[in-house]
Amino acid sequence: MNIRFLRQSAIALGLSLAALAPFSAQAHRSWLLPSATVLSGSEPWVTVDAAVSNDLFYFEHNAMRLDGLAITAPDGTALKPENSSTGRYRSSFDVKLAQSGTYRLAVAMDGLFASFKLKGEQKRIRGTAESLAKDIPEGAEELSVSRSQTRTEVFVTAGKPSKDALKPTGAGLELLPITHPNDLYAGEAAQFQFLIDGKPAPNLEVAVIPGGIRYRDKLNEMKLTTDAEGKFSVKWPEPGMYWLNASVGSGRPDEGAAAQRGTLDKPLRRLGYAVTLEVQKP
């Protein structure tokens, strides 16, 4: 057998095994990857890939659906994507950057999920509060209802950076950049703030992972925690694309299994946020 093939197989196996342990807690990662984050020229375009994967930023699991895609122009107006498509492993779309300034591209999802047992068989359904009220059958046991609000986004600047598109919506878990997200450099620190429904999110665990996981045997994850005002700082070790993530669950583990079950009136709330940031060479 070819020696090079053996070596590559061994490396691939080593990477896979190394990846299993740290990845098991978070499973798959959702991300948007733009063709560029800083552009110049007259009316440039950006192409964005959207996917769910284990490796960053490599297409190997599922395409991200674009149902919740929202594009905010520098003046705050909403834009529609162009040339959208969804394949097996990724979705993609184009955006014409007709205005000078910073654009916010986000896929925000908000849905209710119900899980229960019926005659010993585990069931899971999704829908609105009204549809779940009709679809959950009588006799359902161990019913739990949860509301999942997730946001996956990226920021892109054409010409001079601006901040109007960075304003939070006030719904769910959001990142408020204090350092402009398209002005990040290796060796420098950048400041951000996490908000929940527009209010500071203190003591929130934040993970920052550089891309290119597929080609190294360590995750190189940075684990951070927000302060009392929801703020935190990241010092970028090197240039490249980074994935920054945080999540919040509303379960109450100290009150037993029953407290982990939400109802239609009071569903458990699960919040997730992820952003792709590009760090430049100084």
Side-chain angles (χ1 to χ4, degrees):
M1 185 175 292
N2 186 289
I3 294 176
R4 178 178 295 180
F5 173 79
L6 284 172
R7 180 177 179 277
Q8 291 175 338
S9 298
I11 292 173
L13 177 61
L15 288 173
S16 299
L17 293 175
L20 285 177
F23 293 178
S24 59
Q26 296 190 9
H28 301 110
R29 300 180 174 90
S30 301
W31 44 266
L32 298 174
L33 183 65
S35 54
T37 59
V38 180
L39 301 98
S40 59
S42 177
E43 298 187 353
W45 289 72
V46 63
T47 296
V48 182
D49 291 321
V52 180
S53 68
N54 282 313
D55 292 342
L56 295 170
F57 298 94
Y58 187 79
F59 315 112
E60 34 75 321
H61 184 61
N62 275 332
M64 182 194 300
R65 297 182 62 85
L66 300 178
D67 300 2
L69 174 62
I71 303 171
T72 306
D75 65 357
T77 57
L79 300 180
K80 292 184 177 180
E82 299 192 39
N83 306 318
S84 298
S85 66
T86 297
R88 172 64 181 85
Y89 289 121
R90 65 176 172 180
S91 295
S92 65
F93 59 93
D94 296 331
V95 183
K96 183 179 181 180
L97 309 178
Q99 299 178 28
S100 176
T102 300
Y103 295 69
R104 183 181 192 176
L105 288 57
V107 176
M109 308 297 288
D110 188 347
L112 284 176
F113 302 83
S115 66
F116 54 88
K117 283 187 176 180
L118 187 65
K119 298 180 180 178
E121 185 177 354
Q122 187 70 46
K123 301 283 187 181
R124 292 183 178 84
I125 56 176
R126 66 173 65 187
T128 63
E130 292 75 17
S131 67
L132 290 181
K134 297 177 182 177
D135 295 339
I136 297 173
E138 292 187 12
E141 298 179 339
E142 300 180 14
L143 173 65
S144 180
V145 181
S146 62
R147 180 185 180 187
S148 176
Q149 293 176 277
T150 62
R151 172 176 289 271
T152 306
E153 62 185 8
V154 70
F155 303 95
V156 174
T157 293
K160 187 178 180 180
S162 61
K163 292 187 175 181
D164 285 349
L166 308 183
K167 296 177 181 176
T169 67
L173 183 61
E174 295 182 282
L175 184 76
L176 177 61
I178 299 173
T179 302
H180 195 284
N182 296 135
D183 191 25
L184 308 177
Y185 292 91
E188 297 182 3
Q191 280 196 313
F192 304 94
Q193 183 182 28
F194 262 117
L195 306 173
I196 295 179
D197 297 336
K199 299 179 180 179
N203 303 316
L204 182 67
E205 293 185 358
V206 180
V208 181
I209 304 174
I213 296 171
R214 183 177 178 84
Y215 306 106
R216 62 177 185 268
D217 58 2
K218 292 183 179 179
L219 191 58
N220 292 346
E221 180 181 24
M222 292 181 280
K223 294 183 178 179
L224 309 165
T225 303
T226 60
D227 64 14
E229 297 180 339
K231 297 178 180 178
F232 65 102
S233 177
V234 184
K235 187 172 183 179
W236 311 103
E238 58 186 22
M241 305 299 290
Y242 286 78
W243 185 78
L244 188 154
N245 164 261
S247 60
V248 180
S250 62
R252 304 186 301 278
D254 57 326
E255 298 182 18
Q260 300 301 304
R261 300 189 192 116
T263 65
L264 279 174
D265 293 337
K266 295 182 178 180
L268 295 177
R269 195 178 182 203
R270 306 183 192 285
L271 307 175
Y273 178 89
V275 63
T276 302
L277 298 168
E278 184 175 26
V279 175
Q280 308 285 347
K281 185 178 180 181

